[in-house]
Amino acid sequence: MSKQLDTEMSKVSAMLLEQRHLRLLGSERWELPLQLANIQMTTGIRSQMDVLMKMILKILGKLDVKHAIEISELLAVESIFVEHMLKLMMQNQMVEINDGFYRLTNMGMDQLKVGTFVHDSMEEEVEIAYSPYHNDALAQDSNQASIETENQLAIYRFADENDQVDVTKLKDSQIIQMIEESGYEFIVENGQKQIEEIRAIELQETVQVVCFEFHMHDTTEDSVFIRVWNTWTGQFDVLFETELNQKEASRLRKHYFDQPTSIEKNEVSK
């Protein structure tokens, strides 16, 4: 087995055994498939609507306006500023020209109601590491070096018992939620980004992440339980631990404590 694996596993077990009432009964190593995906999306920046934009939208919602000069005279603002603002709002589909008049679009009315302005749509890409078992993206610990195995380990033994969805089959709403929770920077200089559209989900590769499984005995409560260390996240994995303790804790107790002793075996053989 990889020396790197041995070293990392020893570090985690030593951390567990810092609690003096715990002792290590045994351990296992296995792998978790993780899908690395490239998400192509369209984002826009949402910012607070300034006073001039708000006043122009209100005027267009009440009056028939053909020329920017009409608005500039009403607001006592130079025409160049009104023209710039109208151009910006037309680019962002808040205002349109209909029958020769400037008109509010539905988007313009909606944005006026909430007092925010969505602009600067752009195409971006972001990478996520998706675990079909967790049905969620897993953030990699920046301090955790990638662990490579010399020999392929077994896949998590209960993986096939859970419904798993490929990353390319996920709904856009779930992809957006994972990106929002991934640490992606949404606060920018001009306001706050929002994801307008998921354009494509491309699976780049599937990597095998090593997990360490520790069989522990609490000597104070005389209980056997399982801890699982996920080397990708650099944390104990609650989802694995919950399932394994539900399905395996009683079996492990029998394995470690209810085995007949050598004397008992000899008595039976007689």
Side-chain angles (χ1 to χ4, degrees), residues 118-131:
V118 180
H119 57 109
D120 296 340
S121 291
M122 63 187 78
E123 295 182 356
E124 294 189 61
E125 295 183 358
V126 64
E127 303 290 334
I128 63 169
Y130 172 75
S131 167

Side-chain angles (χ1 to χ4, degrees), residues 180-236:
E180 289 175 343
E181 296 173 353
S182 70
Y184 175 83
E185 186 59 61
F186 280 93
I187 304 299
V188 294
E189 184 178 355
N190 296 329
Q192 184 171 347
K193 279 186 185 179
Q194 66 175 20
I195 300 173
E196 297 176 344
E197 180 186 10
I198 299 297
R199 296 186 293 108
I201 305 168
E202 296 181 355
L203 176 61
Q204 303 297 306
E205 63 174 320
T206 299
V207 297
Q208 302 298 334
V209 173
V210 179
C211 291
F212 303 142
E213 178 182 327
F214 300 95
H215 305 157
M216 308 300 299
H217 178 221
D218 185 325
T219 58
T220 302
E221 299 183 359
D222 189 26
S223 61
V224 174
F225 62 95
I226 300 167
R227 299 300 311 268
V228 176
W229 182 264
N230 187 322
T231 64
W232 179 268
T233 62
Q235 296 179 355
F236 289 106

Side-chain angles (χ1 to χ4, degrees), residues 1 8-9 11 26 36 44 51 100-101 105 111 127 145 182 208 218-219 231 241 269-270:
M1 277 294 179
E8 190 68 22
M9 198 166 188
K11 288 180 182 178
L36 304 185
V51 176
F101 294 95
T105 63
Q111 292 190 26
E127 303 290 334
S182 70
Q208 302 298 334
D218 185 325
T219 58
T231 64
E241 291 178 348
S269 64
K270 290 178 183 179

Side-chain angles (χ1 to χ4, degrees), residues 58-65 74 102-103:
K58 286 181 177 180
I59 289 172
L60 295 181
K62 296 178 180 179
L63 303 176
D64 291 332
V65 176
L74 281 171
Y102 287 103
R103 304 288 188 191

Side-chain angles (χ1 to χ4, degrees), residues 16-29:
L16 284 169
L17 295 175
E18 288 176 358
Q19 302 177 72
R20 295 184 178 276
H21 64 289
L22 298 181
R23 68 187 184 104
L24 180 63
L25 300 174
S27 60
E28 297 182 24
R29 302 164 176 172

